Short mmCIF file of all heavy atoms in Angstrom, two decimals:
data_model
loop_
_atom_site.label_atom_id
_atom_site.label_comp_id
_atom_site.label_asym_id
_atom_site.label_seq_id
_atom_site.Cartn_x
_atom_site.Cartn_y
_atom_site.Cartn_z
N MET A 1 0.82 -1.17 0.00
CA MET A 1 0.00 0.00 0.00
C MET A 1 0.88 1.26 0.00
O MET A 1 0.58 2.21 -0.70
CB MET A 1 -0.90 -0.02 1.24
CG MET A 1 -2.05 0.93 1.14
SD MET A 1 -3.40 0.56 2.24
CE MET A 1 -2.72 0.90 3.82
N LEU A 2 1.95 1.21 0.78
CA LEU A 2 2.86 2.36 0.82
C LEU A 2 3.55 2.55 -0.53
O LEU A 2 3.73 3.68 -0.99
CB LEU A 2 3.90 2.16 1.91
CG LEU A 2 4.90 3.28 2.13
CD1 LEU A 2 4.18 4.56 2.53
CD2 LEU A 2 5.89 2.90 3.19
N THR A 3 3.91 1.45 -1.18
CA THR A 3 4.55 1.53 -2.50
C THR A 3 3.63 2.16 -3.52
O THR A 3 4.06 2.97 -4.34
CB THR A 3 4.98 0.12 -2.96
OG1 THR A 3 5.76 -0.47 -1.94
CG2 THR A 3 5.75 0.18 -4.25
N SER A 4 2.35 1.83 -3.48
CA SER A 4 1.42 2.42 -4.44
C SER A 4 1.26 3.92 -4.19
O SER A 4 1.09 4.70 -5.13
CB SER A 4 0.08 1.71 -4.40
OG SER A 4 -0.49 1.79 -3.12
N VAL A 5 1.32 4.35 -2.95
CA VAL A 5 1.27 5.79 -2.66
C VAL A 5 2.50 6.48 -3.21
O VAL A 5 2.41 7.56 -3.80
CB VAL A 5 1.13 6.04 -1.14
CG1 VAL A 5 1.32 7.51 -0.80
CG2 VAL A 5 -0.21 5.55 -0.64
N VAL A 6 3.66 5.86 -3.02
CA VAL A 6 4.91 6.44 -3.53
C VAL A 6 4.86 6.57 -5.05
O VAL A 6 5.23 7.61 -5.60
CB VAL A 6 6.12 5.59 -3.10
CG1 VAL A 6 7.38 6.02 -3.81
CG2 VAL A 6 6.31 5.68 -1.59
N PHE A 7 4.39 5.53 -5.74
CA PHE A 7 4.30 5.62 -7.20
C PHE A 7 3.21 6.60 -7.64
O PHE A 7 3.32 7.19 -8.71
CB PHE A 7 4.03 4.24 -7.81
CG PHE A 7 5.25 3.39 -7.90
CD1 PHE A 7 5.33 2.20 -7.18
CD2 PHE A 7 6.32 3.76 -8.68
CE1 PHE A 7 6.45 1.41 -7.26
CE2 PHE A 7 7.46 2.98 -8.76
CZ PHE A 7 7.52 1.80 -8.05
N GLY A 8 2.20 6.78 -6.83
CA GLY A 8 1.13 7.70 -7.19
C GLY A 8 1.53 9.16 -7.12
O GLY A 8 1.01 9.98 -7.87
N VAL A 9 2.42 9.52 -6.23
CA VAL A 9 2.85 10.92 -6.08
C VAL A 9 4.28 11.10 -6.57
O VAL A 9 4.96 12.03 -6.14
CB VAL A 9 2.72 11.39 -4.61
CG1 VAL A 9 1.28 11.39 -4.18
CG2 VAL A 9 3.58 10.58 -3.68
N TYR A 10 4.75 10.27 -7.47
CA TYR A 10 6.17 10.08 -7.80
C TYR A 10 7.10 11.29 -7.72
O TYR A 10 8.00 11.27 -6.91
CB TYR A 10 6.36 9.38 -9.14
CG TYR A 10 7.76 9.50 -9.66
CD1 TYR A 10 8.83 9.01 -8.93
CD2 TYR A 10 8.04 10.16 -10.83
CE1 TYR A 10 10.13 9.14 -9.37
CE2 TYR A 10 9.33 10.29 -11.28
CZ TYR A 10 10.37 9.78 -10.55
OH TYR A 10 11.63 9.92 -10.99
N PRO A 11 6.99 12.32 -8.51
CA PRO A 11 8.08 13.30 -8.35
C PRO A 11 8.01 14.03 -7.01
O PRO A 11 8.97 14.64 -6.58
CB PRO A 11 7.91 14.26 -9.51
CG PRO A 11 6.52 14.09 -9.99
CD PRO A 11 6.05 12.74 -9.52
N MET A 12 6.89 13.93 -6.34
CA MET A 12 6.73 14.61 -5.05
C MET A 12 7.10 13.65 -3.91
O MET A 12 6.76 12.50 -3.91
CB MET A 12 5.28 15.05 -4.84
CG MET A 12 4.73 15.93 -5.90
SD MET A 12 5.52 17.53 -5.87
CE MET A 12 4.66 18.30 -7.21
N VAL A 13 7.83 14.17 -2.93
CA VAL A 13 8.11 13.42 -1.72
C VAL A 13 7.07 13.80 -0.67
O VAL A 13 6.54 12.96 0.04
CB VAL A 13 9.53 13.73 -1.20
CG1 VAL A 13 9.79 13.05 0.13
CG2 VAL A 13 10.57 13.30 -2.22
N LEU A 14 6.79 15.09 -0.58
CA LEU A 14 5.82 15.60 0.36
C LEU A 14 4.94 16.62 -0.38
O LEU A 14 5.30 17.79 -0.50
CB LEU A 14 6.54 16.27 1.54
CG LEU A 14 5.70 16.67 2.72
CD1 LEU A 14 5.08 15.43 3.36
CD2 LEU A 14 6.55 17.39 3.73
N PRO A 15 3.81 16.17 -0.93
CA PRO A 15 2.98 17.09 -1.70
C PRO A 15 2.31 18.14 -0.81
O PRO A 15 1.97 17.87 0.34
CB PRO A 15 1.93 16.19 -2.36
CG PRO A 15 2.04 14.87 -1.72
CD PRO A 15 3.29 14.82 -0.92
N ALA A 16 2.14 19.32 -1.36
CA ALA A 16 1.44 20.40 -0.68
C ALA A 16 0.23 20.81 -1.51
O ALA A 16 0.11 20.43 -2.68
CB ALA A 16 2.38 21.59 -0.48
N ARG A 17 -0.65 21.59 -0.92
CA ARG A 17 -1.83 22.04 -1.68
C ARG A 17 -1.41 22.94 -2.83
O ARG A 17 -1.97 22.89 -3.91
CB ARG A 17 -2.79 22.79 -0.77
CG ARG A 17 -3.45 21.87 0.21
CD ARG A 17 -4.43 22.60 1.08
NE ARG A 17 -4.93 21.71 2.10
CZ ARG A 17 -6.06 21.86 2.70
NH1 ARG A 17 -6.83 22.89 2.41
NH2 ARG A 17 -6.45 21.00 3.61
N ASN A 18 -0.42 23.76 -2.59
CA ASN A 18 0.14 24.61 -3.64
C ASN A 18 1.40 23.91 -4.16
O ASN A 18 2.36 23.74 -3.43
CB ASN A 18 0.49 25.99 -3.08
CG ASN A 18 0.92 26.95 -4.16
OD1 ASN A 18 1.14 26.57 -5.31
ND2 ASN A 18 1.04 28.21 -3.78
N PRO A 19 1.43 23.50 -5.44
CA PRO A 19 2.58 22.76 -5.96
C PRO A 19 3.92 23.47 -5.84
O PRO A 19 4.97 22.84 -5.86
CB PRO A 19 2.22 22.53 -7.43
CG PRO A 19 0.75 22.70 -7.52
CD PRO A 19 0.37 23.66 -6.42
N VAL A 20 3.92 24.78 -5.70
CA VAL A 20 5.15 25.53 -5.56
C VAL A 20 5.86 25.15 -4.25
O VAL A 20 7.09 25.11 -4.19
CB VAL A 20 4.87 27.05 -5.60
CG1 VAL A 20 6.12 27.85 -5.33
CG2 VAL A 20 4.25 27.43 -6.92
N TYR A 21 5.11 24.82 -3.23
CA TYR A 21 5.66 24.51 -1.92
C TYR A 21 5.88 23.01 -1.69
O TYR A 21 6.27 22.60 -0.60
CB TYR A 21 4.76 25.07 -0.82
CG TYR A 21 4.61 26.56 -0.89
CD1 TYR A 21 3.38 27.14 -1.16
CD2 TYR A 21 5.71 27.39 -0.70
CE1 TYR A 21 3.24 28.50 -1.23
CE2 TYR A 21 5.57 28.77 -0.79
CZ TYR A 21 4.34 29.32 -1.05
OH TYR A 21 4.20 30.67 -1.12
N SER A 22 5.63 22.20 -2.69
CA SER A 22 5.82 20.75 -2.55
C SER A 22 7.29 20.40 -2.52
O SER A 22 8.13 21.06 -3.14
CB SER A 22 5.15 20.01 -3.71
OG SER A 22 3.76 20.16 -3.65
N LEU A 23 7.60 19.35 -1.78
CA LEU A 23 8.98 18.87 -1.71
C LEU A 23 9.14 17.77 -2.76
O LEU A 23 8.47 16.75 -2.72
CB LEU A 23 9.25 18.31 -0.31
CG LEU A 23 10.66 17.87 0.01
CD1 LEU A 23 11.61 19.07 -0.08
CD2 LEU A 23 10.72 17.26 1.38
N THR A 24 10.02 18.00 -3.72
CA THR A 24 10.23 17.03 -4.79
C THR A 24 11.50 16.23 -4.51
O THR A 24 12.27 16.54 -3.60
CB THR A 24 10.38 17.73 -6.15
OG1 THR A 24 11.53 18.57 -6.10
CG2 THR A 24 9.15 18.55 -6.50
N ILE A 25 11.70 15.20 -5.31
CA ILE A 25 12.89 14.36 -5.16
C ILE A 25 14.16 15.18 -5.40
O ILE A 25 15.14 15.06 -4.67
CB ILE A 25 12.81 13.15 -6.12
CG1 ILE A 25 11.70 12.24 -5.68
CG2 ILE A 25 14.13 12.41 -6.17
CD1 ILE A 25 11.43 11.10 -6.63
N ALA A 26 14.13 16.03 -6.40
CA ALA A 26 15.31 16.84 -6.72
C ALA A 26 15.65 17.83 -5.61
O ALA A 26 16.82 18.08 -5.31
CB ALA A 26 15.09 17.59 -8.03
N SER A 27 14.62 18.39 -4.96
CA SER A 27 14.90 19.37 -3.92
C SER A 27 15.17 18.71 -2.57
O SER A 27 15.69 19.36 -1.66
CB SER A 27 13.73 20.35 -3.79
OG SER A 27 12.56 19.68 -3.38
N ALA A 28 14.84 17.43 -2.42
CA ALA A 28 15.03 16.74 -1.14
C ALA A 28 16.40 16.07 -1.01
O ALA A 28 16.84 15.77 0.09
CB ALA A 28 13.95 15.70 -0.94
N LYS A 29 17.06 15.83 -2.11
CA LYS A 29 18.33 15.10 -2.05
C LYS A 29 19.45 16.00 -1.54
O LYS A 29 19.38 17.22 -1.61
CB LYS A 29 18.70 14.52 -3.40
CG LYS A 29 19.29 15.49 -4.39
CD LYS A 29 19.74 14.77 -5.64
CE LYS A 29 20.47 15.74 -6.56
NZ LYS A 29 21.89 15.67 -6.43
N ALA A 30 20.46 15.36 -1.01
CA ALA A 30 21.65 16.10 -0.55
C ALA A 30 22.47 16.53 -1.76
O ALA A 30 22.26 16.06 -2.89
CB ALA A 30 22.48 15.21 0.36
N GLY A 31 23.42 17.38 -1.54
CA GLY A 31 24.30 17.83 -2.62
C GLY A 31 25.20 16.71 -3.11
O GLY A 31 25.44 15.72 -2.42
N ASP A 32 25.70 16.85 -4.33
CA ASP A 32 26.54 15.81 -4.93
C ASP A 32 27.80 15.53 -4.11
O ASP A 32 28.19 14.39 -3.94
CB ASP A 32 26.92 16.20 -6.36
CG ASP A 32 25.73 16.17 -7.31
OD1 ASP A 32 24.76 15.44 -7.00
OD2 ASP A 32 25.77 16.86 -8.33
N TYR A 33 28.42 16.59 -3.60
CA TYR A 33 29.63 16.41 -2.80
C TYR A 33 29.32 15.62 -1.54
O TYR A 33 30.05 14.69 -1.18
CB TYR A 33 30.23 17.77 -2.45
CG TYR A 33 31.45 17.67 -1.56
CD1 TYR A 33 32.66 17.24 -2.09
CD2 TYR A 33 31.39 18.00 -0.22
CE1 TYR A 33 33.78 17.13 -1.28
CE2 TYR A 33 32.48 17.90 0.60
CZ TYR A 33 33.69 17.47 0.06
OH TYR A 33 34.79 17.35 0.86
N GLY A 34 28.25 15.95 -0.86
CA GLY A 34 27.87 15.24 0.35
C GLY A 34 27.53 13.78 0.09
O GLY A 34 27.85 12.90 0.89
N LEU A 35 26.89 13.50 -1.03
CA LEU A 35 26.57 12.11 -1.38
C LEU A 35 27.84 11.31 -1.66
O LEU A 35 27.94 10.14 -1.28
CB LEU A 35 25.63 12.07 -2.59
CG LEU A 35 24.20 12.56 -2.33
CD1 LEU A 35 23.43 12.62 -3.63
CD2 LEU A 35 23.50 11.67 -1.34
N LYS A 36 28.81 11.93 -2.32
CA LYS A 36 30.08 11.23 -2.59
C LYS A 36 30.84 10.94 -1.30
O LYS A 36 31.37 9.85 -1.12
CB LYS A 36 30.95 12.07 -3.54
CG LYS A 36 30.43 12.10 -4.95
CD LYS A 36 31.28 12.99 -5.82
CE LYS A 36 30.67 13.14 -7.20
NZ LYS A 36 31.40 14.08 -8.04
N ILE A 37 30.89 11.90 -0.40
CA ILE A 37 31.56 11.72 0.88
C ILE A 37 30.84 10.65 1.70
O ILE A 37 31.46 9.79 2.33
CB ILE A 37 31.65 13.05 1.65
CG1 ILE A 37 32.53 14.04 0.90
CG2 ILE A 37 32.17 12.84 3.06
CD1 ILE A 37 33.96 13.60 0.70
N GLY A 38 29.51 10.69 1.71
CA GLY A 38 28.72 9.69 2.42
C GLY A 38 28.96 8.29 1.89
O GLY A 38 29.08 7.33 2.66
N LEU A 39 29.04 8.14 0.58
CA LEU A 39 29.31 6.84 -0.02
C LEU A 39 30.71 6.35 0.36
O LEU A 39 30.88 5.17 0.69
CB LEU A 39 29.18 6.91 -1.54
CG LEU A 39 29.49 5.62 -2.30
CD1 LEU A 39 28.51 4.52 -1.91
CD2 LEU A 39 29.46 5.87 -3.80
N ALA A 40 31.69 7.24 0.34
CA ALA A 40 33.05 6.85 0.72
C ALA A 40 33.10 6.38 2.17
O ALA A 40 33.69 5.34 2.48
CB ALA A 40 34.01 8.02 0.50
N TRP A 41 32.47 7.12 3.09
CA TRP A 41 32.46 6.72 4.49
C TRP A 41 31.67 5.44 4.70
O TRP A 41 31.99 4.62 5.56
CB TRP A 41 31.90 7.83 5.37
CG TRP A 41 32.95 8.83 5.72
CD1 TRP A 41 33.06 10.10 5.24
CD2 TRP A 41 34.05 8.63 6.61
NE1 TRP A 41 34.16 10.70 5.78
CE2 TRP A 41 34.79 9.83 6.63
CE3 TRP A 41 34.49 7.57 7.39
CZ2 TRP A 41 35.93 9.98 7.40
CZ3 TRP A 41 35.62 7.72 8.15
CH2 TRP A 41 36.33 8.91 8.16
N TRP A 42 30.59 5.25 3.94
CA TRP A 42 29.81 4.02 4.06
C TRP A 42 30.65 2.82 3.63
O TRP A 42 30.62 1.79 4.29
CB TRP A 42 28.54 4.12 3.22
CG TRP A 42 27.69 2.90 3.35
CD1 TRP A 42 26.80 2.63 4.33
CD2 TRP A 42 27.67 1.78 2.46
NE1 TRP A 42 26.22 1.41 4.11
CE2 TRP A 42 26.74 0.86 2.97
CE3 TRP A 42 28.35 1.46 1.29
CZ2 TRP A 42 26.46 -0.35 2.37
CZ3 TRP A 42 28.07 0.25 0.68
CH2 TRP A 42 27.14 -0.63 1.21
N LEU A 43 31.39 2.96 2.54
CA LEU A 43 32.24 1.86 2.07
C LEU A 43 33.31 1.52 3.10
O LEU A 43 33.56 0.34 3.39
CB LEU A 43 32.89 2.22 0.72
CG LEU A 43 31.94 2.27 -0.46
CD1 LEU A 43 32.66 2.79 -1.70
CD2 LEU A 43 31.34 0.91 -0.73
N ILE A 44 33.94 2.54 3.68
CA ILE A 44 34.95 2.30 4.71
C ILE A 44 34.32 1.64 5.93
O ILE A 44 34.84 0.67 6.48
CB ILE A 44 35.65 3.62 5.10
CG1 ILE A 44 36.49 4.13 3.94
CG2 ILE A 44 36.48 3.46 6.35
CD1 ILE A 44 36.98 5.55 4.11
N GLY A 45 33.17 2.14 6.34
CA GLY A 45 32.49 1.58 7.51
C GLY A 45 32.04 0.15 7.31
O GLY A 45 32.16 -0.68 8.22
N ILE A 46 31.52 -0.19 6.14
CA ILE A 46 31.05 -1.55 5.90
C ILE A 46 32.23 -2.51 5.84
O ILE A 46 32.14 -3.66 6.29
CB ILE A 46 30.15 -1.62 4.65
CG1 ILE A 46 29.17 -2.78 4.73
CG2 ILE A 46 30.93 -1.76 3.39
CD1 ILE A 46 28.09 -2.64 5.71
N MET A 47 33.38 -2.05 5.33
CA MET A 47 34.56 -2.91 5.33
C MET A 47 35.07 -3.13 6.75
O MET A 47 35.47 -4.24 7.11
CB MET A 47 35.66 -2.31 4.45
CG MET A 47 35.38 -2.47 2.97
SD MET A 47 36.76 -2.02 1.91
CE MET A 47 36.77 -0.26 2.07
N LEU A 48 35.07 -2.09 7.57
CA LEU A 48 35.47 -2.25 8.97
C LEU A 48 34.52 -3.18 9.72
O LEU A 48 34.97 -4.04 10.50
CB LEU A 48 35.51 -0.89 9.66
CG LEU A 48 36.69 0.00 9.33
CD1 LEU A 48 36.49 1.39 9.92
CD2 LEU A 48 37.99 -0.61 9.82
N ALA A 49 33.23 -3.04 9.50
CA ALA A 49 32.25 -3.90 10.17
C ALA A 49 32.41 -5.35 9.73
O ALA A 49 32.35 -6.28 10.55
CB ALA A 49 30.84 -3.41 9.89
N ALA A 50 32.63 -5.59 8.45
CA ALA A 50 32.82 -6.95 7.96
C ALA A 50 34.12 -7.54 8.50
O ALA A 50 34.17 -8.71 8.90
CB ALA A 50 32.84 -6.97 6.43
N GLY A 51 35.17 -6.74 8.55
CA GLY A 51 36.44 -7.21 9.10
C GLY A 51 36.34 -7.54 10.57
O GLY A 51 36.86 -8.56 11.04
N TYR A 52 35.65 -6.70 11.33
CA TYR A 52 35.47 -6.94 12.76
C TYR A 52 34.62 -8.19 13.00
O TYR A 52 34.93 -9.00 13.87
CB TYR A 52 34.84 -5.74 13.43
CG TYR A 52 34.62 -5.94 14.91
CD1 TYR A 52 35.71 -5.95 15.78
CD2 TYR A 52 33.35 -6.12 15.43
CE1 TYR A 52 35.52 -6.15 17.14
CE2 TYR A 52 33.15 -6.32 16.78
CZ TYR A 52 34.23 -6.33 17.63
OH TYR A 52 34.05 -6.53 18.97
N SER A 53 33.57 -8.36 12.22
CA SER A 53 32.74 -9.56 12.34
C SER A 53 33.53 -10.82 12.04
O SER A 53 33.40 -11.84 12.73
CB SER A 53 31.53 -9.47 11.42
OG SER A 53 30.71 -8.41 11.79
N THR A 54 34.37 -10.77 11.02
CA THR A 54 35.21 -11.91 10.68
C THR A 54 36.20 -12.19 11.80
O THR A 54 36.41 -13.35 12.18
CB THR A 54 35.96 -11.63 9.36
OG1 THR A 54 35.00 -11.36 8.35
CG2 THR A 54 36.81 -12.82 8.95
N TYR A 55 36.81 -11.15 12.35
CA TYR A 55 37.76 -11.32 13.45
C TYR A 55 37.09 -11.96 14.67
O TYR A 55 37.62 -12.89 15.27
CB TYR A 55 38.36 -9.96 13.83
CG TYR A 55 39.10 -9.99 15.13
CD1 TYR A 55 40.35 -10.60 15.23
CD2 TYR A 55 38.55 -9.44 16.27
CE1 TYR A 55 41.03 -10.64 16.44
CE2 TYR A 55 39.21 -9.47 17.48
CZ TYR A 55 40.45 -10.08 17.56
OH TYR A 55 41.11 -10.13 18.75
N VAL A 56 35.94 -11.46 15.05
CA VAL A 56 35.23 -12.00 16.22
C VAL A 56 34.81 -13.44 15.97
O VAL A 56 34.94 -14.30 16.84
CB VAL A 56 34.02 -11.11 16.58
CG1 VAL A 56 33.11 -11.78 17.58
CG2 VAL A 56 34.50 -9.78 17.10
N TYR A 57 34.30 -13.72 14.78
CA TYR A 57 33.88 -15.08 14.46
C TYR A 57 35.06 -16.05 14.55
O TYR A 57 34.95 -17.13 15.13
CB TYR A 57 33.28 -15.12 13.05
CG TYR A 57 32.88 -16.50 12.61
CD1 TYR A 57 31.71 -17.08 13.09
CD2 TYR A 57 33.67 -17.22 11.72
CE1 TYR A 57 31.34 -18.35 12.69
CE2 TYR A 57 33.30 -18.49 11.32
CZ TYR A 57 32.15 -19.05 11.80
OH TYR A 57 31.79 -20.30 11.41
N ARG A 58 36.19 -15.66 13.99
CA ARG A 58 37.35 -16.55 14.00
C ARG A 58 37.99 -16.66 15.38
O ARG A 58 38.54 -17.70 15.74
CB ARG A 58 38.39 -16.08 12.99
CG ARG A 58 37.93 -16.33 11.58
CD ARG A 58 38.99 -15.99 10.58
NE ARG A 58 38.51 -16.26 9.24
CZ ARG A 58 39.16 -15.94 8.15
NH1 ARG A 58 40.34 -15.35 8.24
NH2 ARG A 58 38.66 -16.22 6.98
N SER A 59 37.94 -15.60 16.17
CA SER A 59 38.57 -15.67 17.49
C SER A 59 37.76 -16.50 18.48
O SER A 59 38.32 -17.04 19.42
CB SER A 59 38.82 -14.27 18.04
OG SER A 59 37.61 -13.61 18.29
N PHE A 60 36.46 -16.61 18.28
CA PHE A 60 35.63 -17.41 19.18
C PHE A 60 35.26 -18.76 18.60
O PHE A 60 34.53 -19.52 19.25
CB PHE A 60 34.35 -16.65 19.54
CG PHE A 60 34.60 -15.53 20.50
CD1 PHE A 60 34.51 -14.21 20.07
CD2 PHE A 60 34.92 -15.77 21.81
CE1 PHE A 60 34.74 -13.17 20.94
CE2 PHE A 60 35.14 -14.74 22.70
CZ PHE A 60 35.06 -13.43 22.26
N ALA A 61 35.69 -19.09 17.43
CA ALA A 61 35.32 -20.36 16.79
C ALA A 61 35.96 -21.53 17.52
O ALA A 61 37.15 -21.51 17.85
CB ALA A 61 35.75 -20.36 15.32
N GLY A 62 35.18 -22.55 17.80
CA GLY A 62 35.68 -23.78 18.37
C GLY A 62 36.01 -23.73 19.84
O GLY A 62 36.63 -24.64 20.36
N LYS A 63 35.62 -22.71 20.57
CA LYS A 63 35.99 -22.62 21.98
C LYS A 63 34.90 -23.11 22.92
O LYS A 63 35.08 -23.12 24.12
CB LYS A 63 36.37 -21.19 22.32
CG LYS A 63 37.63 -20.77 21.61
CD LYS A 63 38.19 -19.51 22.17
CE LYS A 63 39.47 -19.19 21.43
NZ LYS A 63 40.14 -18.05 21.96
N VAL A 64 33.76 -23.50 22.40
CA VAL A 64 32.67 -23.97 23.25
C VAL A 64 32.68 -25.49 23.24
O VAL A 64 32.64 -26.12 22.20
CB VAL A 64 31.30 -23.46 22.73
CG1 VAL A 64 30.17 -24.02 23.55
CG2 VAL A 64 31.28 -21.94 22.74
N VAL A 65 32.76 -26.06 24.43
CA VAL A 65 32.74 -27.50 24.57
C VAL A 65 31.53 -27.88 25.42
O VAL A 65 31.40 -27.44 26.55
CB VAL A 65 34.04 -28.02 25.23
CG1 VAL A 65 33.98 -29.52 25.42
CG2 VAL A 65 35.25 -27.60 24.41
N VAL A 66 30.65 -28.66 24.84
CA VAL A 66 29.47 -29.10 25.56
C VAL A 66 29.59 -30.60 25.76
O VAL A 66 29.66 -31.37 24.80
CB VAL A 66 28.18 -28.77 24.77
CG1 VAL A 66 26.95 -29.27 25.51
CG2 VAL A 66 28.08 -27.28 24.52
N ASP A 67 29.65 -31.01 27.01
CA ASP A 67 29.66 -32.43 27.31
C ASP A 67 28.57 -32.73 28.33
O ASP A 67 27.83 -31.84 28.74
CB ASP A 67 31.03 -32.91 27.79
CG ASP A 67 31.64 -32.01 28.84
OD1 ASP A 67 31.16 -30.89 28.99
OD2 ASP A 67 32.60 -32.43 29.51
N LYS A 68 28.49 -33.94 28.73
CA LYS A 68 27.39 -34.39 29.57
C LYS A 68 27.31 -33.64 30.90
O LYS A 68 26.24 -33.31 31.38
CB LYS A 68 27.52 -35.89 29.81
CG LYS A 68 26.38 -36.47 30.60
CD LYS A 68 26.57 -37.96 30.76
CE LYS A 68 25.45 -38.54 31.59
NZ LYS A 68 25.63 -39.95 31.83
N ASP A 69 28.44 -33.35 31.52
CA ASP A 69 28.46 -32.75 32.85
C ASP A 69 28.51 -31.22 32.84
O ASP A 69 28.59 -30.60 33.88
CB ASP A 69 29.66 -33.28 33.62
CG ASP A 69 29.56 -34.79 33.83
OD1 ASP A 69 28.41 -35.27 33.99
OD2 ASP A 69 30.60 -35.46 33.80
N SER A 70 28.44 -30.60 31.70
CA SER A 70 28.62 -29.15 31.63
C SER A 70 27.38 -28.39 32.09
O SER A 70 27.48 -27.22 32.43
CB SER A 70 29.01 -28.72 30.23
OG SER A 70 27.94 -28.99 29.33
N HIS A 71 26.21 -29.01 32.13
CA HIS A 71 24.99 -28.29 32.51
C HIS A 71 24.49 -28.69 33.91
O HIS A 71 23.39 -28.32 34.29
CB HIS A 71 23.89 -28.55 31.50
CG HIS A 71 24.18 -27.97 30.15
ND1 HIS A 71 24.25 -26.64 29.92
CD2 HIS A 71 24.46 -28.57 28.97
CE1 HIS A 71 24.52 -26.41 28.64
NE2 HIS A 71 24.68 -27.58 28.04
N SER A 72 25.25 -29.43 34.64
CA SER A 72 24.90 -29.88 35.99
C SER A 72 23.62 -30.70 36.03
O SER A 72 22.81 -30.58 36.93
CB SER A 72 24.76 -28.68 36.95
OG SER A 72 25.96 -27.98 37.01
N TYR A 73 23.42 -31.49 34.99
CA TYR A 73 22.27 -32.38 34.99
C TYR A 73 22.63 -33.63 35.76
O TYR A 73 23.73 -34.16 35.65
CB TYR A 73 21.87 -32.79 33.57
CG TYR A 73 21.32 -31.64 32.75
CD1 TYR A 73 21.82 -31.38 31.49
CD2 TYR A 73 20.30 -30.85 33.22
CE1 TYR A 73 21.32 -30.34 30.72
CE2 TYR A 73 19.79 -29.81 32.47
CZ TYR A 73 20.29 -29.56 31.22
OH TYR A 73 19.79 -28.55 30.46
N SER A 74 21.72 -34.14 36.54
CA SER A 74 21.99 -35.39 37.25
C SER A 74 21.10 -36.47 36.66
O SER A 74 19.92 -36.28 36.42
CB SER A 74 21.72 -35.22 38.75
OG SER A 74 20.36 -34.88 38.96
N ASP A 75 21.71 -37.62 36.44
CA ASP A 75 20.95 -38.74 35.86
C ASP A 75 20.54 -39.73 36.90
O ASP A 75 21.13 -40.08 37.81
CB ASP A 75 21.78 -39.43 34.78
CG ASP A 75 21.95 -38.57 33.57
OD1 ASP A 75 21.10 -37.70 33.33
OD2 ASP A 75 22.92 -38.78 32.86
#
């Protein structure tokens, strides 16, 4: 339902009663320089997050040992 509303008002992001005051896609976007800087920081951040996840996964891999007496169950 939300997608059909978006396609119905397409060039407008926030329509107003007077079209002069409506917020369009072109007027709502950030500047080109800001978008390029944001993309660069996002790429650096996603690589750091993936590297950290890999490091944590590998550093904790294989260290959990579950045997019969580890949960204090009595038979």
Side-chain angles (χ1 to χ4, degrees):
M1 197 160 68
L2 182 61
T3 307
S4 60
V5 170
V6 170
F7 281 117
V9 295
Y10 165 59
M12 303 291 180
V13 175
L14 189 64
R17 291 182 186 204
N18 186 350
V20 175
Y21 299 116
S22 294
L23 186 62
T24 63
I25 292 174
S27 63
K29 78 174 186 97
D32 290 336
Y33 177 74
L35 290 173
K36 288 177 186 175
I37 295 298
L39 178 63
W41 276 108
W42 182 83
L43 290 173
I44 292 168
I46 206 71
M47 285 189 288
L48 285 171
Y52 179 71
S53 296
T54 303
Y55 167 74
V56 168
Y57 177 77
R58 289 185 179 173
S59 66
F60 287 108
K63 293 193 178 185
V64 176
V65 177
V66 178
D67 46 345
K68 184 178 178 183
D69 298 326
S70 65
H71 294 293
S72 300
Y73 293 129
S74 61
D75 290 335

